[in-house]
Amino acid sequence: MSVHTVTKEQFKSFVSALIASDRRVVGVQAKGDRFAFDDLKSAQDLRLDYDVTILPPKKYVLPQQENLLTFQVNGQSQSVCHQQKTVLIGVHPYDMAAINQMDMLFSQGEYDVHYMNRRKQITVIACDVARPSPNVFASSMNTATIDHGYDMLVTNIGSSYVVEVATDKGKELLSLMNGARDASQNDLGARKAVWDKNEGWLNQHKLDCKPSFLPKLLEKSYQHPVWEEKARLCYSCGSCNQVCPTCYCFDVQDEVNWDLKTGCRYRAWDGCLLQNFATVAGDHNFRKKRADRFRHRLYRKGKYVPAKIDGQIACVGCGRCITACTAKIANPVEVYNELMKRTEIG
Ligand code: SF4
Ligand code: SF4
């Protein structure tokens, strides 16, 4: 690991050099009054001062839809794997934490070769948050800052950036960064000040317990009336799933081409709030009620996924679901705090 300082102009030249290379370069850009990750055509378009993006960078590690294999109806098939080198610029710490979780989920047990191949082609340049979004609560979820997973981490310290190089992939990119000098003690102090501020600052909603307490809280809350009370307003639109950086459920479908001889198998994002998410053969839906689906999402985040990944809570506090939910019921903090108030914990 090495830590450097570059001026903002030098960083811009670095981004231009990346764009001119053979890599696909994706960065955060303004879209009207909001922000999104998109292919970067010019370094001028990159916005590291954004608050939050509409969709998380998850769409590059687990695309909305991707082909898994092509087949011939006579039984032959070929696996499809992604090979393009991609650089993602501007990933916030909470989104990095979500990618770190997915890296664990897709590599443990059943190793997902499609996810992992794609992931290996991606170099992540993370950046610390410069301003809080209206619904962020990363400080409550311990994801306001991050210390691993990225290849480079960029922190705005005023007139310049502190750039931490964490991996060999990051080191490879450093060779394109002209003018980088070793970070001074002052620069490191300024970066620490940004981290200290963000640890407490990104908290528009405050969770009334430590995240690590959620599995225990949920153990006692399965029959709680809050699920019915909240879900009464739910449209089952699935927006809270679609914008979430930690939701990784997908559906797999086979599609035969018009020649009736060839086809492809693809996967596409699914969402546990959607009415037919749990429908299986015979048209049996084992989560037919809205309240059951609403509860399931909060149990996934606070209990089921943590059981798979060393207790890490599968909500990183990005706040996107809160913004996306028309019915204003998707806020995990509101639900968990309500349970805290109304559940007896022995
Ligand atoms: S549950 Fe909501 S706040 Fe938590 S990570 Fe998902 S979208 Fe973000
Ligand atoms: S976004 Fe809101 S209304 Fe839509 S499924 Fe999620 S909780 Fe229900």
Side-chain angles (χ1 to χ4, degrees), residues 28 35 37 47-53 57 88-99 124-133 136 138 143-146 150 153-154 198 202 245 316 318 320:
V28 178
F35 296 94
F37 282 92
R47 292 287 300 270
L48 295 185
D49 62 338
Y50 75 99
D51 54 358
V52 67
T53 54
L88 282 185
I89 312 179
V91 174
H92 274 167
Y94 49 79
D95 280 333
M96 190 68 246
I99 293 174
V124 179
I125 302 181
C127 78
D128 280 304
V129 181
R131 60 191 164 108
S133 63
V136 68
T143 57
T145 58
I146 188 92
Y150 50 81
L153 173 67
V154 179
N198 284 2
L202 308 178
V316 292
C318 71
R320 290 183 179 96

Side-chain angles (χ1 to χ4, degrees), residues 36-289:
F37 282 92
D38 203 352
D39 286 279
L40 205 55
K41 302 279 181 300
S42 158
Q44 299 285 2
D45 297 334
L46 181 66
R47 292 287 300 270
L48 295 185
D49 62 338
Y50 75 99
D51 54 358
V52 67
T53 54
I54 300 165
L55 285 182
K58 172 183 86 174
K59 63 183 179 174
Y60 296 99
V61 292
L62 183 70
Q64 278 109 329
Q65 184 169 322
E66 71 175 330
N67 286 349
L68 301 177
L69 57 83
T70 54
F71 61 79
Q72 292 169 331
V73 285
N74 66 10
Q76 288 181 330
S77 64
Q78 281 97 36
S79 181
V80 177
C81 273
H82 181 82
Q83 296 299 347
Q84 192 179 14
K85 276 189 180 180
T86 302
V87 181
L88 282 185
I89 312 179
V91 174
H92 274 167
Y94 49 79
D95 280 333
M96 190 68 246
I99 293 174
N100 288 345
Q101 289 188 3
M102 277 205 282
D103 290 351
M104 289 175 83
L105 288 157
F106 282 100
S107 62
Q108 287 173 356
E110 287 297 320
Y111 185 91
D112 191 306
V113 70
H114 302 278
Y115 175 93
M116 293 307 291
N117 272 12
R118 187 182 291 276
R119 180 68 183 92
K120 280 179 193 158
Q121 302 296 324
I122 293 175
T123 304
V124 179
I125 302 181
C127 78
D128 280 304
V129 181
R131 60 191 164 108
S133 63
N135 284 313
V136 68
F137 57 96
S139 301
S140 272
M141 305 312 288
N142 302 326
T143 57
T145 58
I146 188 92
D147 62 7
H148 70 287
Y150 50 81
D151 300 291
M152 261 187 189
L153 173 67
V154 179
T155 312
N156 184 351
I157 57 162
S159 59
S160 45
Y161 290 125
V162 172
V163 176
E164 180 182 314
V165 177
T167 64
D168 287 343
K169 283 199 273 183
K171 214 165 158 185
E172 199 185 316
L173 296 194
L174 187 66
S175 60
L176 296 174
M177 197 180 286
N178 292 326
R181 58 173 171 84
D182 288 348
S184 67
Q185 283 308 316
N186 270 352
D187 299 337
L188 294 177
R191 178 173 75 156
K192 174 83 171 45
V194 171
W195 287 348
D196 289 347
K197 184 177 169 193
N198 284 2
E199 291 287 354
W201 193 42
L202 308 178
N203 222 15
Q204 312 283 13
H205 308 273
K206 194 181 165 304
L207 186 67
D208 289 340
C209 64
K210 287 191 173 155
S212 56
F213 185 69
L214 292 176
K216 192 169 179 205
L217 174 68
L218 290 171
E219 225 166 78
K220 307 271 179 187
S221 312
Y222 201 74
Q223 304 296 351
H224 202 284
V226 81
W227 310 118
E228 199 62 58
E229 290 163 15
K230 289 271 181 191
R232 242 184 288 139
L233 298 172
C234 179
Y235 297 116
S236 301
C237 65
S239 302
C240 49
N241 297 129
Q242 300 296 298
V243 299
C244 180
T246 64
C247 280
Y248 63 92
C249 288
F250 56 82
D251 192 22
V252 177
Q253 300 276 347
D254 285 352
E255 205 165 75
V256 178
N257 295 329
W258 286 109
D259 61 12
L260 301 182
K261 289 181 185 147
T262 58
C264 74
R265 174 168 297 170
Y266 67 90
R267 66 175 161 199
W269 289 359
D270 206 346
C272 58
L273 269 288
L274 296 170
Q275 197 171 1
N276 286 328
F277 177 80
T279 302
V280 293
D283 219 20
H284 178 67
N285 187 343
F286 55 87
R287 235 175 272 124
K288 217 177 213 163
K289 285 171 61 187

Side-chain angles (χ1 to χ4, degrees), residues 283-299:
D283 219 20
H284 178 67
N285 187 343
F286 55 87
R287 235 175 272 124
K288 217 177 213 163
K289 285 171 61 187
R290 276 182 299 182
D292 291 352
R293 297 194 293 275
F294 187 87
R295 176 177 59 193
H296 181 76
R297 169 174 169 257
L298 276 304
Y299 266 71

